Amino acid sequence: MKKILISNGHIIDPENNLDQVGNVYIADGKILAANQLLSDFTADLTIDASDNIVCPGFIDLSARLRDPGQSYKGTILSETTAAASAGVTSVCLPPDTSPVIDTQAVTELIADKAEKANYPQIYPIGALTHNLAGSELSSMFALKQAGCIAVSNATAPFFNLLVLRRAMEYASSHDLLVMYHPDIPALSNNGCVHEGAFATQYGLPAIPEASETIAVAQCIELAELTGCRLHFSQISCKRSAIKIQQAKKYGLKVTADVAIHQLHLTEDDIEPFNSFFHTLPPFRTKKDKQSLRESLANGTIDIICSDHQPHDLDAKLGAFPETEPGISSLETLLPLALRLVDDNAITLPQGIAALTQNPARTLGIQSGALTADYSADVCIFDPTLSWTVNQDTWKSAGGNTPFWGQTLKGRVTHTIQAGKVIYSL
Amino acid sequence: MKNLQLNTEGKLKHFLSIEGLSKEVLTEILDTAESFSSMSEQKVKKVPLLRGKTIVILFFENSTRTRTTFELAATRLSADVLTMNIATSATSKGESLLDTIRNLEAMHVDMFVVRHAISGSGHFIAQNAAPHISVINAGDGQHAHPTQAMLDMFTIRQYKHSFDNLKVAIIGDILHSRVARSQIQALNTLGTQEVRVIAPKTLLPSHVETLGVTAFNCIEEGLKDVDVIIMLRLQKERMTSALLPNEREYFKCFGLTEERLKLAKSNAIVMHPGPINRGVEIESSIADGPQSVILQQVSNGIAVRMAIMSLTLQSNGETL
Amino acid sequence: MTTTNNLEIPALLTKLETELKSLIQARALENPLMIGIHSGGVWVAEELHQRLKIKEPLALMDISFYRDDFSQLGMHPKVKPSHLPAHMEGRDIILIDDVFYTGRTIRAALNEIFDYGRPNKVILGVLIERDGRQIPLQPDCKGCSITMPKGQRIKLTGPSPLDIHIQSFTTEKSAA
């Protein structure tokens, strides 16, 4: 196993309170030391990280690799290549693959594919209910044993609160984190944009914020009832953030993440009928965006994820309401996170914490930090390097992003996973 | 989207929605329609303006009235007309829409007139059709019905001459109405003094004021002093989707009766895009009465559609 | 050939009137219908209709919708309504325009007339015939025949006073 020295980089490691220029030493696939000067270290590879940031590799709480089952949209190979170029060294895979991650067999299949793609750190998230149908519990213990890191309903709704309660109780009895995507289908009613001025002007079926906030409120109550560890996936509303803040104040074990693009785009940014702006949850109002940013800064929202959803051409080709929602977003994760720092919404260490330390803590894994003996997952990036989103730079199989053709600032120069350089610019 | 409708010279190439079009463009349509309107009184109601052009009328939603006026408009311009009524299945997806368009393009057509149940269909087709083709939106989902709005504006101009000092009230199911959205945009772009919408709360979209209207839940207040009353048709499905209790209650609260009509100006005109639900939106005596211009709207529909077809196809010449 | 400097409208009208009178007799037109083409032709026709004491009311036509240059030039901005009688079948027609140039206006006017019914005879009278014919048509009666310098166009303005206007233009567009 290679000995790697990353020299002279600006180390930002929130877990260990590091925010200064220094060296990082890697050996045998693990972190040897960070921010120290080792005299007796002969490196096989030296990376000069002057003027670059050196931080733990990013842990993405939600990235759809479309494998198994939807290889026309993407594969574990193509999407982990994109992840590597984005500085992401651990990916959590939501259970809505095909077949659904509700058996040991599928979980092991994913691990197998991950190994073949030379990207070992894919953490499958198991389904809360069998086939995500919302009626029978899945074999959560078996899933956990096979390697599932948490359980989730993906975007499938629960029609019966009793089943949700029982699922949360059962998960909790096996100490499994429940990741919940909050939505009441009777209220969202097949909408495709936020219920507001934009929807009204363009006559598009709309999703009221109540469909998210009511689901958040319900689930918080059930978390209190069941004692379950709860994580809200991809919230979008100010009023959801308020409820989560109250729950935390009250002492409940609740965390939340937000998709990076929700921190930048609102309904006012949607180009009318451009399906690249079709997402679920939809882009909300400026007030919601402001609140999401503040919540990230004050810790109400703990984590930023990419919510990566690559799509084939046909999925986005149609009248707006008929297209499939989702953005291919791994590769814009870093520059958009840095934009938050430029906008003074958060500090750079806060941003990196939201991508490393906090996901690790929520998942309960020894990762997301440059702690000695941890797996050597490191991201080195140049925060000033500009690049354009186009055919030449894009690695994901899905080109469905509203940022296509734009020039962004901030690019990964090296990604190291388990002590191996899996990407260099 | 305004760019999608206009060609590089700023001339109308597609007609998909009122939004993004300037007052000048809308006025040009009205003036051109004026030229065509005298034609229907002539013995020979045909001119060779669009001879040699093939116009495909592609309706994915059923409609006899709009479809036949488009057919008549195209025929009076000497174009060849092809009508296709395609039933929309519940799983109708973008691919089959695109394939339908491609197959027709292979037969060297010049224009699509499209009606579809999904908002944004007109734009999707215009963006994906071959470059020489013009697309006219005959109604897409709840988004827009711009040709109807233009014939309504033409009718208002006929009777009121100027939009500047007008108070216009639109009464009915605004939430689901593509006609209302287009009418509101046209009225505002043409400089109407005040546009009002009158409906129960369940039939008003959220943030309706952002459309540039004043909302009323009480018809008596909304009708005070208006110059133009536009009635919208109430669809039966609204009763079964828990939006309204029944037609009787709707008529009691929001029906246009002789009594209520008196609250408007004495020379106010009453409009309706049709077909009329007598006794639900409007009393029969008003629909057939002296203030009703409903039949005039119908005959104006042909001239206005002729104008829109001619204006959009004129941009397809070699020198432009 | 008269040059443009010597064009006097009263003289042109009188010459046109004389030629028409003689041709109406020679060709034995019966109860003729006079049609003026918008806009210059209408003003000329109004004069002649009076002078020739035509019994049938003056008819007007706008040939904008029958032009052959829709693909090149697009819609004409202001189209005036045509006022043609319902029955044109078998009529003797005197068609009047102000300037005969390429011949395309007359081609359009004839197409429009024929759409209304098969006329018996059509004679054409114009105030000014100029060079530059592109279609094998010509006026039967004219006020004068002239050659225009390159890059110039001649127009009648009116209705009162009627006047002749010479314009320069840079691109050779399909003119009347």
Side-chain angles (χ1 to χ4, degrees), chain B residues 32 42-44 46 314 317 319, chain C residues 71-72 74-75 82 86 115-116:
Chain B
T32 309
Q42 303 278 9
K43 178 187 167 234
V44 176
K46 213 171 181 145
Q314 73 172 340
T319 52
Chain C
S71 295
Q72 287 79 28
M75 292 282 291
S82 290
D115 267 356
Y116 275 78

Side-chain angles (χ1 to χ4, degrees), chain C residues 141-155:
Chain C
C141 308
K142 45 200 177 234
C144 69
S145 204
I146 57 171
T147 320
M148 293 291 294
K150 205 163 187 205
Q152 286 196 350
R153 173 201 259 143
I154 190 164
K155 239 173 96 80

Side-chain angles (χ1 to χ4, degrees), chain B residues 7 11 48-53 110 310-320, chain C residues 64-76 174:
Chain B
N7 68 6
K11 291 229 164 271
L49 210 56
L50 296 187
R51 214 175 62 154
K53 304 280 186 190
D110 302 282
S310 311
L311 285 169
T312 48
L313 279 177
Q314 73 172 340
S315 66
N316 294 343
E318 303 100 79
T319 52
L320 284 166
Chain C
S64 299
F65 292 142
Y66 283 80
R67 292 174 69 104
D68 63 3
D69 50 13
F70 178 70
S71 295
Q72 287 79 28
L73 298 182
M75 292 282 291
H76 213 251
S174 189

Side-chain angles (χ1 to χ4, degrees), chain B residues 81-95:
Chain B
V81 185
L82 178 64
T83 299
M84 298 182 66
N85 263 317
I86 303 174
T88 0
S89 69
T91 54
S92 165
K93 294 179 70 179
E95 292 99 316

Side-chain angles (χ1 to χ4, degrees), chain C residues 14-84:
Chain C
T14 306
K15 178 147 187 296
L16 180 55
E17 179 198 344
T18 313
E19 292 200 5
L20 278 171
K21 207 181 243 168
S22 137
L23 192 62
I24 288 170
Q25 209 173 27
R27 296 274 208 93
L29 260 56
E30 273 180 41
N31 194 22
L33 171 69
M34 178 172 281
I35 305 177
I37 301 177
H38 274 298
S39 314
V42 170
W43 303 325
V44 174
E46 275 164 350
E47 248 318 294
L48 291 171
H49 187 267
Q50 250 188 340
R51 293 187 186 203
L52 295 169
K53 298 188 184 31
I54 308 270
K55 274 210 250 4
E56 194 74 19
L58 179 63
L60 318 169
M61 68 190 300
D62 190 309
I63 52 97
S64 299
F65 292 142
Y66 283 80
R67 292 174 69 104
D68 63 3
D69 50 13
F70 178 70
S71 295
Q72 287 79 28
L73 298 182
M75 292 282 291
H76 213 251
K78 269 288 163 68
V79 178
K80 298 180 195 54
S82 290
H83 291 296
L84 293 170

Side-chain angles (χ1 to χ4, degrees), chain A residues 66-364:
Chain A
R66 303 304 194 191
D67 208 346
Q70 291 178 302
S71 52
Y72 52 96
K73 292 184 192 286
T75 60
I76 283 183
L77 181 56
S78 69
E79 302 318 294
T80 53
T81 307
S85 77
V88 173
T89 52
S90 303
V91 164
C92 296
L93 184 60
D96 53 0
T97 48
S98 177
V100 164
I101 307 178
D102 63 359
T103 60
Q104 193 170 334
V106 177
T107 315
E108 286 170 0
L109 173 64
I110 290 166
D112 208 47
K113 284 179 177 253
E115 203 179 308
K116 286 211 177 71
N118 286 316
Y119 192 100
Q121 279 158 204
I122 296 180
Y123 295 105
I125 302 170
L128 254 177
T129 58
H130 179 62
N131 209 27
L132 289 173
S135 51
E136 290 164 24
L137 301 184
S138 66
S139 314
M140 295 188 219
F141 180 65
L143 290 174
K144 183 177 179 183
Q145 286 218 303
C148 283
I149 198 163
V151 281
S152 160
N153 67 327
T155 52
F158 268 92
F159 297 103
N160 185 336
L161 283 178
L162 184 59
V163 178
L164 178 58
R165 175 210 172 145
R166 296 241 165 93
M168 289 170 74
E169 271 171 343
Y170 191 69
S172 157
S173 69
H174 292 297
D175 196 29
L176 269 170
L177 173 70
V178 170
M179 297 172 75
Y180 187 66
H181 177 101
D183 174 52
I184 310 279
L187 287 175
S188 54
N189 200 19
N190 295 315
C192 58
V193 287
H194 171 66
E195 186 178 286
F198 182 84
T200 292
Q201 182 171 8
Y202 293 101
L204 291 165
I207 302 170
E209 59 172 10
S211 74
E212 177 181 296
T213 57
I214 291 177
V216 167
Q218 283 179 339
C219 206
I220 287 176
E221 295 294 330
L222 288 178
E224 181 166 21
L225 183 60
T226 61
C228 174
R229 276 190 299 133
L230 177 60
H231 174 85
F232 284 107
S233 301
Q234 293 101 62
I235 63 160
S236 65
C237 299
K238 172 176 179 168
R239 294 171 56 78
S240 299
I242 291 173
K243 291 181 180 20
I244 292 167
Q245 188 177 45
Q246 282 171 342
K248 284 186 173 187
K249 241 192 246 175
Y250 192 60
L252 290 179
K253 286 173 287 193
V254 175
T255 52
D257 72 67
V258 61
I260 182 68
H261 37 270
Q262 287 283 352
L263 294 161
H264 292 284
L265 299 174
T266 66
E267 61 172 0
D268 302 311
D269 298 308
I270 301 178
E271 270 172 39
F273 304 119
N274 181 344
S275 57
F276 285 171
F277 289 86
H278 185 189
T279 60
L280 286 179
F283 294 120
R284 305 275 185 191
T285 67
K286 286 203 177 78
K287 270 204 331 240
D288 294 302
K289 169 177 153 181
Q290 187 55 35
S291 167
L292 292 174
R293 288 184 168 203
E294 284 164 10
S295 303
L296 192 60
N298 69 28
T300 302
I301 296 177
D302 315 80
I303 293 162
I304 299 171
C305 72
S306 69
D307 194 19
H308 179 66
Q309 297 181 37
H311 278 295
D312 54 311
L313 280 173
D314 283 333
K316 290 294 190 180
L317 205 63
F320 193 98
E322 291 184 307
T323 57
E324 292 179 49
I327 294 179
S328 177
S329 54
L330 273 170
E331 297 162 80
T332 47
L333 179 61
L334 174 65
L336 290 179
L338 292 175
R339 211 184 261 183
L340 289 173
V341 178
D342 279 345
D343 288 347
N344 288 316
I346 54 173
T347 65
L348 184 54
Q350 276 178 324
I352 290 176
L355 289 167
T356 57
Q357 175 191 40
N358 295 345
R361 281 192 182 165
T362 298
L363 294 172

Side-chain angles (χ1 to χ4, degrees), chain A residues 39-87:
Chain A
S39 44
D40 58 345
F41 185 86
T42 26
D44 300 308
L45 169 66
T46 305
I47 300 173
D48 178 6
S50 313
D51 300 324
N52 288 347
I53 310 281
V54 178
C55 65
F58 302 137
I59 301 171
D60 194 349
L61 228 53
S62 179
R64 283 170 170 81
L65 309 179
R66 303 304 194 191
D67 208 346
Q70 291 178 302
S71 52
Y72 52 96
K73 292 184 192 286
T75 60
I76 283 183
L77 181 56
S78 69
E79 302 318 294
T80 53
T81 307
S85 77

